[in-house]
Amino acid sequence: MHEIITLQLGQRANYLATHFWNLQESYFTYDNETESAVDHDVHFRPGVGADGSETYTPRTVIYDLKGGFGTLRKYNALYELSEDANPGQGLWDGKEVIQQQAAIPQSDYQKNLDAGLPAPQLSAETVRYWSDYNRLFYHPRSIVQLNDYELNSRVMPFEDWNVGEDLFNDLDKEHDLLDRDVRPFAEECDQLRALQIFTGADDAWGGFAAKYVDRLRDEYGKKPIWVWAIESGAKVHRQTQMKRDMNKARTIYSISPQTSLYTPIIDPPSRLPQSIHLNPHSQWYTSALVSSAMETITLPTRLRPYHDFESSLAGDDSIHKIFELQSSIFKPAGDEKQGSGPKGANDGANAKEYESSKVQKEFDMDFSYDSLDSNTSHIFNQLQVRRGIEDAEDGIPSMKDLSLLRKERAFNSEPNFQSFHTSLQFPVLDSFPSDLFSVAKPEGKMNVLATLTASSRTADTIKSLEAVAGRIISVDEREDIVNGLGEIRETYETGWMSDSDFDDE
């Protein structure tokens, strides 16, 4: 097996990750004759429940602030016998006064899931927390509440990058977070393939994640680390935006050099096609939209046909580590109604030609740099995942020597390129907003093209963050961050080439 351990850091990360886990649960088959195309052992772990029954839970660690878990309990129906309902008095023999915070009422959606009844339709008003639309049970070790800060607190807001860094240092000094939270999952793996991290990037979670990645890199050496760095796309006043940009600059400077994949995600992007009906004020809506691209682009890592195809998630380029996430959504070929997608990508005649092409620059949605023009950018590397479009030429990727392919592309001045295809369409679940994707009605499924692209647009973005860092960040760390960002930027400028490009190995 090639297992992946997931870390979820913060409220926005947990909204996105909950959609991701719900989608993984939807791929399970429950009869002995049908085998799922998805290898669930990549992300799920077997275990034993409190009553001795076998369990199958996500291989993830979920961090959130006090009040961020909603109705999700540390001990669920699978492990409720493990909960110590009467902890006892300990050394204190005096009179006890127990004060308990009022329990958050369970949503109708969760009540129906527990009772085995059809789930009611969710809405932005009924989804108060990410746990309100969660469809899975988690192992108790997966739930880690950080009680030092409270969700949405005005007294101690969790916004400054240094606050997250300090919180990690304090917790790690007291508990050794890797030993307590990550190592138990890692020791269960036959062959740990990668560590996947969902995190906020423009608030204190960026600082928390930076320290976490630093510890992971020390502990797990060359294991791939994939970071989905979520940035708020909401319009705010200038002072708040400057603080967010400063946090982003620190996060990219600290994390991206240590990862195999760093993907900034604007949640939500500002430009959307008419077929997407988004409530920008609901994290449930916006994270569902992001999940359609993020879950699609990572699909080959858990598909059985590609199980033995060992390759970086983002192709064979080891130089560029910051990638843009983009996607297009459209109806199945032959559908009479025009759906979403780039021009010419919606009807049966043009869909195959569109899907069979090589490097793409135009998409319905750009989740990383939606304000920058992609037509004039230079592409260094692109990974495409196409789901739902049949193509006679599709199949398991060729095992041709990747180093030879790279040399051929470099000789022809072509970008690195890798493409995956699956007939497994994207399922729109009842945990999704029912009106988000108009192209999915009434089938409940849709075709998606998702890409990860490394291009010269990253240099433009980092250049603007250098300017922010030069004006705002304190003198004692300004030089290191500005110079570090400059070194990262240079690798994404047109004409830059690493010495390793000339290496024969």
Side-chain angles (χ1 to χ4, degrees), residues 279-313:
N279 179 347
H281 305 294
S282 169
Q283 289 189 71
W284 171 55
Y285 264 85
T286 60
S287 58
L289 179 62
V290 174
S291 71
S292 66
M294 178 268 154
E295 198 274 335
T296 294
I297 199 64
T298 60
L299 190 58
T301 65
R302 49 191 174 273
L303 284 178
R304 296 184 190 277
Y306 303 122
H307 188 70
D308 295 322
F309 187 76
E310 288 299 325
S311 170
S312 166
L313 174 66

Side-chain angles (χ1 to χ4, degrees), residues 28-101:
F28 276 90
T29 54
Y30 298 96
D31 59 78
N32 296 327
E33 298 180 357
T34 305
E35 182 182 58
S36 172
V38 174
D39 183 356
H40 301 292
D41 290 330
V42 172
H43 282 288
F44 286 77
R45 54 172 297 278
V48 179
D51 59 354
S53 61
E54 294 183 358
T55 63
Y56 210 49
T57 52
R59 192 179 288 107
T60 187
V61 185
I62 307 172
Y63 294 90
D64 214 331
L65 305 182
K66 183 180 179 181
F69 286 90
T71 61
L72 187 68
R73 297 186 300 160
K74 185 179 182 70
Y75 297 94
N76 51 55
L78 296 179
Y79 298 94
E80 57 187 357
L81 297 180
S82 300
E83 185 172 18
D84 191 359
N86 184 17
Q89 291 183 316
L91 298 177
W92 174 254
D93 59 0
K95 185 178 180 181
E96 290 184 346
V97 178
I98 300 176
Q99 295 182 344
Q100 290 183 330
Q101 189 175 10

